[in-house]
Amino acid sequence: MRKLFQDRVTSLSITILLICLLASLIFPKNFPTFENLSQVLLNLSIDTIVAVGMMLLLIAGMFDLSVGSVVAFSGGLAANLMFFHQVPVPVAILAGLLSAILIGWVNGYLIAYQGVNPMIQTLAMLGIVRGGALLVAGANIQNLPYWFNAIGQARLLGIQMPVWYMLLTVAVFSVLVNRTVFFRRYYYIGGNEKAAELSGILVKRMKLYAFVLSATLAGIAGILLASRLGAAMSTLGRGLELRVITAVILGGASLQGGVGKIPGALLGALFMGLVANIMIIARISGLWQDIILGIILIAAVWLDLYLQKQSRGNSKI
């Protein structure tokens, strides 16, 4: 039973099934419908894509607080180029993604090669990039080209495309992390950075790559969000970093690094998405959602610490 509880992917999957069953019994007309559940998946699709990158960073023992600002900036830059400068859609999207890659590279370089604390660096970048998002997107940019909006608003089998992009991202990174030596190295770095370096792993370069990958996924999420809404706003992604870190820790990552599975990012985001959806159906005030989010984060961190103590206790036996 303890092993089942410690496998966060399994225990969280069971918890989600129980929540769905309970919600279906309490709200039989509103919760277990195709429209409601597909809307839940759509709402968490952007968070999950960003959470995959955050999971990779936490496995390596790092985190990035600037991802929400990157979401706003990449989408805002692409929208600015299309709306004000009539830049073709593919070029504008590429510019948005390149800007995200550049932000990730700056974060990674200063943290890995210059020794800047990840929290200070990414917190500073959060403010800088949020200001940049305000410059490029202003209060709101609407009336974006049809083909750009189609990327996020088209449907496949009745489900909007961001959900499929989310599932594709989780599947691809799950295979990469489980099957490739390159991504497995992040577990060694998160478990014991000094030992990983002595074993020949280029730790600084791997850290740089992790920040670039995380920012790139945030950039993709920003493009998708602007496309889905048909508009870009400087406020997009505000508070996203808190939701994503909470989801990833719920999904099995540890603030100490070295553990975590990519599907856990999806399950953590799904858990939070379901909680938010049930509160809406129950007509609980939106003001309570931030309070409950904070409580869930504290509970997730406490659970992480508890499991670490249990693990250390077992290793001494």
Side-chain angles (χ1 to χ4, degrees):
M1 190 66 183
R2 177 176 292 179
K3 288 184 177 178
L4 180 66
F5 186 64
Q6 288 181 334
D7 183 354
R8 199 76 63 84
V9 171
T10 304
S11 61
L12 192 55
S13 298
I14 295 171
T15 303
I16 288 170
L17 286 175
L18 291 174
I19 289 174
C20 289
L21 181 61
L22 191 61
S24 299
L25 293 173
I26 298 174
F27 307 107
K29 293 183 179 178
N30 298 320
F31 182 78
T33 65
F34 176 80
E35 290 76 14
N36 181 56
L37 295 179
S38 62
Q39 188 63 41
V40 170
L41 291 174
L42 177 63
N43 290 341
L44 63 88
S45 58
I46 300 299
D47 287 12
T48 303
I49 291 172
V50 180
V52 168
M54 191 67 78
M55 176 65 87
L56 197 61
L57 282 172
L58 278 174
I59 288 173
M62 304 175 292
F63 58 87
D64 186 349
L65 296 177
S66 65
V67 287
S69 297
V70 174
V71 166
F73 185 78
S74 59
L77 179 62
N80 181 294
L81 293 174
M82 286 182 286
F83 185 80
F84 292 110
H85 306 283
Q86 287 73 51
V87 172
V89 170
V91 177
I93 291 174
L94 182 61
L97 292 178
L98 288 176
S99 70
I101 291 171
L102 178 61
I103 294 166
W105 187 89
V106 172
N107 277 337
Y109 176 77
L110 292 176
I111 291 168
Y113 288 92
Q114 300 300 322
V116 179
N117 182 285
M119 187 179 74
I120 301 300
Q121 170 59 37
T122 57
L123 191 61
M125 188 61 81
L126 179 154
I128 295 169
V129 179
R130 182 63 66 183
L134 184 59
L135 287 174
V136 297
N140 195 351
I141 298 177
Q142 294 183 338
N143 299 320
L144 299 177
Y146 169 81
W147 289 112
F148 179 75
N149 292 341
I151 294 171
Q153 297 177 10
R155 290 175 179 266
L156 178 63
L157 302 177
I159 299 173
Q160 286 188 285
M161 288 308 294
V163 177
W164 295 109
Y165 300 139
M166 171 190 72
L167 296 176
L168 179 64
T169 302
V170 172
V172 167
F173 275 86
S174 294
V175 172
L176 289 174
V177 170
N178 287 327
R179 300 293 178 84
T180 65
V181 175
F182 178 87
F183 282 93
R184 296 295 297 176
R185 289 172 180 162
Y186 284 115
Y187 286 99
Y188 300 120
I189 294 172
N192 191 324
E193 184 176 327
K194 197 65 181 177
E197 196 166 12
L198 291 172
S199 66
I201 296 175
L202 300 174
V203 173
K204 292 180 180 177
R205 187 180 298 180
M206 294 294 293
K207 284 185 173 181
L208 175 63
Y209 292 156
F211 276 100
V212 169
L213 273 174
S214 175
T216 302
L217 288 174
I220 292 171
I223 299 290
L224 283 176
L225 185 56
S227 170
R228 176 189 143 199
L229 299 175
M233 293 165 275
S234 61
T235 55
L236 290 180
R238 194 179 291 278
L240 176 68
E241 53 280 342
L242 179 61
R243 296 198 303 274
V244 166
I245 289 174
T246 305
V248 170
I249 293 175
L250 278 171
S254 169
L255 291 173
Q256 307 302 318
V259 296
K261 297 177 181 177
I262 296 298
L266 171 61
L267 292 172
L270 180 58
F271 174 86
M272 295 179 60
L274 287 171
V275 170
N277 179 255
I278 291 168
M279 287 194 294
I280 292 171
I281 292 175
R283 298 184 179 180
I284 294 175
S285 168
L287 297 174
W288 281 95
Q289 294 197 17
D290 287 339
I291 296 173
I292 292 174
L293 175 63
I295 292 172
I296 291 175
L297 177 58
I298 292 171
V301 172
W302 174 84
L303 181 61
D304 175 42
L305 292 172
Y306 172 77
L307 292 176
Q308 285 180 45
K309 288 179 182 176
Q310 292 292 314
S311 178
R312 283 197 294 269
N314 291 336
S315 65
K316 291 178 181 177
I317 296 174

